[in-house]
């Protein structure tokens, strides 16, 4: 009696994964990296929709006797005395504290002002995504009441709105300056590593000069070359250019060292023997090998640029009025002295956002570094 066996099933081909697919899988296993990515998504959505989320414009304030300078955060009530649900606020009564001679604000409970959603305010226009004009805001109250979730500054401007608008400058400058410095660093490092000789020596001497000069001193010196009364938007572009100008040296040095070893590889020599141009060899065959380092370097350099811009604006040589960044808003705490910090703690809220943005980018950078490092993979 003979037995027959079924033919063995053909072996299924193993699907290979690229380096970036493996890195993404490893990145998702990093809890702090996931938390940092979630924080960054929230922050950049806030910056993108700042005009819609803000009840007031960046520079809007009341003049004369109606100005409510340094008012505390507005208390939003969710139930009235009869237990009915619905957010509302009270107006403010201003008095003078005879001990500190500062304005003191208390709630005027004679009138309730309901908080309305999707309010149209012609006095606070903005552009959705910087393109589409709009006057619709997420929430607001009718005048003469006002809603200031994080208080007001010395001119009576809404701190909540200014922090959201400030996110556009602080977060954007970090990304753009990092991208510009990385592009310059890759180009200069690629030229130095590929050509060598006097090109390598010249570029590396420039890098050494940039490294030898203290970065903050160089930034202040370069910024001082321009007049203080120029257009504030031009100031932002100047800051981005200056940050990129002084930050590409370290990237160029690492790219150069990687390309010095890559230059001797067989596929590079084959491209040379086939008559490929120098730009094609550098751009298509050599620089792609540095992308893993570039991605990690980008995520780790952005928080440094955010801190640098905040420091410059804090010193008064960065973003200036009427525009705002987190650093310039934090400067209010210094201008008011210790009394401002102790009596008006809401002026420190921009520092909380700076901390969140920097720590989130650090978490993402650590996650990417571990994901691309085979020795740290989980």
């Amino acid at each position: 009696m003979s037995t027959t066996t079924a033919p063995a099933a053909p072996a299924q081909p193993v699907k290979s994964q690229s380096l970036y697919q493996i890195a993404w899988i490893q990145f998702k296993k990093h809890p702090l990296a996931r938390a940092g990515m979630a924080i960054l998504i929230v922050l950049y959505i806030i910056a993108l929709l700042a005009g819609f989320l803000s009840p007031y414009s960046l520079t809007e304030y009341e003049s004369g006797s109606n100005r409510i300078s340094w008012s505390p955060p507005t208390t939003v009530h969710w139930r009235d005395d009869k237990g009915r649900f619905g957010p509302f606020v009270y107006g403010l009564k201003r008095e003078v504290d005879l001990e500190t001679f500062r304005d003191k604000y208390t709630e005027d409970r004679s009138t309730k002002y309901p908080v309305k959603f999707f309010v149209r305010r012609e006095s606070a226009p903005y552009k959705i995504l910087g393109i589409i004009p709009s006057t619709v805001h997420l929430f607001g109250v009718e005048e003469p009441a006002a809603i200031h979730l994080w208080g007001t500054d010395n001119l009576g401007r809404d701190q909540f709105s200014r922090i959201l608008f400030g996110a556009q400058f602080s977060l954007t400058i970090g990304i753009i300056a990092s991208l510009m410095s990385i592009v310059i660093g890759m180009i200069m490092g690629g030229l130095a590593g590929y050509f060598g000789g006097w090109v390598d020596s010249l570029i590396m001497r420039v890098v050494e000069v940039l490294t030898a000069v203290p970065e903050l001193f160089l930034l202040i010196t370069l910024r001082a070359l321009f007049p203080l009364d120029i257009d504030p938007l031009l100031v932002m572009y100047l800051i981005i250019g200056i940050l990129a100008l002084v930050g590409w040296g370290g990237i160029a040095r690492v790219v150069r060292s990687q390309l010095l070893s890559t230059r001797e590889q067989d596929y590079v020599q084959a491209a040379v023997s086939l008559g490929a141009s120098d730009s094609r060899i550098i751009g298509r065959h050599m620089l792609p090998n540095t992308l893993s380092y570039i991605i990690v370097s980008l995520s780790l350099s952005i928080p440094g640029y955010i801190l640098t811009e905040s420091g410059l604006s804090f010193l008064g040589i960065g973003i200036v009025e009427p525009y705002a960044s987190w650093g310039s808003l934090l400067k209010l705490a210094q201008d008011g002295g210790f009394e401002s910090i102790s009596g008006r703690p809401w002026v420190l809220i921009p520092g909380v956002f700076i901390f969140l943005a920097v720590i989130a980018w650090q978490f993402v950078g650590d996650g990417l570094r571990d994901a691309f490092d085979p020795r740290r993979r989980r």
Side-chain angles (χ1 to χ4, degrees):
M1 183 175 182
S2 62
T3 59
T4 59
T5 58
Q12 297 293 330
V14 179
K15 185 178 180 180
S16 60
Q17 293 179 319
S18 66
L19 171 64
Y20 300 101
Q21 291 175 325
I22 296 174
W24 174 243
I25 294 173
Q26 295 297 320
F27 179 82
K28 291 189 293 185
K29 296 180 180 179
H30 200 294
L32 290 180
R34 295 199 307 269
M37 183 64 72
I39 293 173
L40 290 177
I41 290 174
V42 172
L43 290 178
Y44 281 95
I45 289 176
I46 288 175
L48 192 64
L49 302 177
F52 172 69
L53 298 175
S54 303
Y56 302 97
S57 67
L58 180 63
T59 59
E60 187 175 358
Y61 67 95
E62 295 290 342
S63 59
S65 60
N66 294 327
R67 179 182 297 179
I68 48 176
S69 303
W70 298 123
S71 71
T74 302
T75 301
V76 179
H77 302 271
W78 295 93
R79 290 186 181 275
D80 59 14
D81 298 336
K82 299 180 180 179
R84 290 176 297 189
F85 180 81
F88 66 92
V89 300
Y90 292 111
L92 293 179
K93 292 189 299 184
R94 179 168 55 188
E95 302 173 350
V96 178
D97 191 336
L98 298 179
E99 294 182 359
T100 61
F101 296 100
R102 295 187 310 189
D103 289 336
K104 182 180 179 181
Y105 298 94
T106 56
E107 289 184 336
D108 181 4
R109 293 181 171 264
S110 61
T111 308
K112 294 184 297 185
Y113 298 90
V115 178
K116 299 181 179 180
F117 295 93
F118 302 101
V119 180
R120 185 177 299 275
R121 298 189 71 247
E122 300 296 336
S123 60
Y126 64 93
K127 291 184 178 180
I128 302 175
L129 303 178
I131 302 174
I132 307 172
S134 178
T135 57
V136 178
H137 298 261
L138 178 61
F139 64 95
V141 296
E142 293 182 355
E143 298 180 352
I147 179 168
H148 304 295
L149 297 181
W150 293 337
T152 63
D153 62 7
N154 57 332
L155 297 179
R157 295 172 296 190
D158 182 50
Q159 188 81 339
F160 178 81
S161 300
R162 289 178 63 79
I163 288 175
L164 297 192
F165 280 106
Q168 296 178 334
F169 288 95
S170 296
L171 297 177
T172 302
I173 283 179
I175 290 182
I176 296 178
S178 297
L179 289 174
M180 291 179 61
S181 64
I182 284 178
V183 169
I184 297 174
M186 291 182 66
I187 293 174
M188 304 303 286
L191 294 175
Y194 180 74
F195 290 104
W198 67 270
V199 176
D200 182 19
S201 299
L202 177 62
I203 294 176
M204 288 301 101
R205 297 299 81 77
V206 173
V207 171
E208 291 173 0
V209 170
L210 292 175
T211 306
V213 180
E215 182 175 310
L216 183 59
F217 173 77
L218 182 59
L219 286 169
I220 294 175
T221 302
L222 292 176
R223 174 63 182 86
L225 297 177
F226 302 96
L228 296 178
D229 57 348
I230 61 176
D231 182 57
L233 285 178
L234 182 58
V235 171
M236 185 190 72
Y237 299 138
L238 290 175
I239 291 175
I240 292 175
I242 292 173
L243 291 175
L245 181 64
V246 301
W248 60 268
I251 298 171
R253 183 174 291 173
V254 175
V255 171
R256 167 188 173 271
S257 64
Q258 293 185 359
L259 263 61
L260 284 175
S261 59
T262 305
R263 185 176 58 180
E264 306 302 327
Q265 297 294 324
D266 292 339
Y267 65 90
V268 176
Q269 297 300 321
V272 173
S273 63
L274 291 174
S277 62
D278 294 334
S279 60
R280 181 179 179 83
I281 294 173
I282 296 174
R284 295 291 299 275
H285 299 287
M286 299 178 69
L287 284 181
N289 289 322
T290 66
L291 285 182
S292 59
Y293 162 76
I294 294 300
I295 293 173
V296 176
S297 178
L298 175 66
S299 63
L300 293 176
S301 63
I302 290 176
Y305 285 121
I306 292 176
L307 285 175
T308 302
E309 182 279 325
S310 299
L312 291 175
S313 298
F314 183 80
L315 294 174
I317 57 177
I319 300 298
V320 296
E321 297 290 348
Y323 301 99
S325 70
W326 290 338
S328 64
L329 293 176
L330 195 61
K331 189 175 185 295
L332 290 175
Q334 180 198 37
D335 294 341
F338 178 77
E339 180 184 3
S340 176
I341 298 176
S342 60
R344 310 174 186 114
W346 57 89
V347 299
L348 297 177
I349 295 178
V352 176
F353 278 85
I354 295 174
F355 170 79
L356 286 176
V358 171
I359 199 69
W361 274 116
Q362 291 286 357
F363 287 160
V364 171
D366 289 341
L368 289 174
R369 181 173 55 192
D370 293 348
F372 281 104
D373 189 349
R375 296 169 296 181
R376 293 176 176 264
R377 289 176 184 165
R378 303 176 181 224

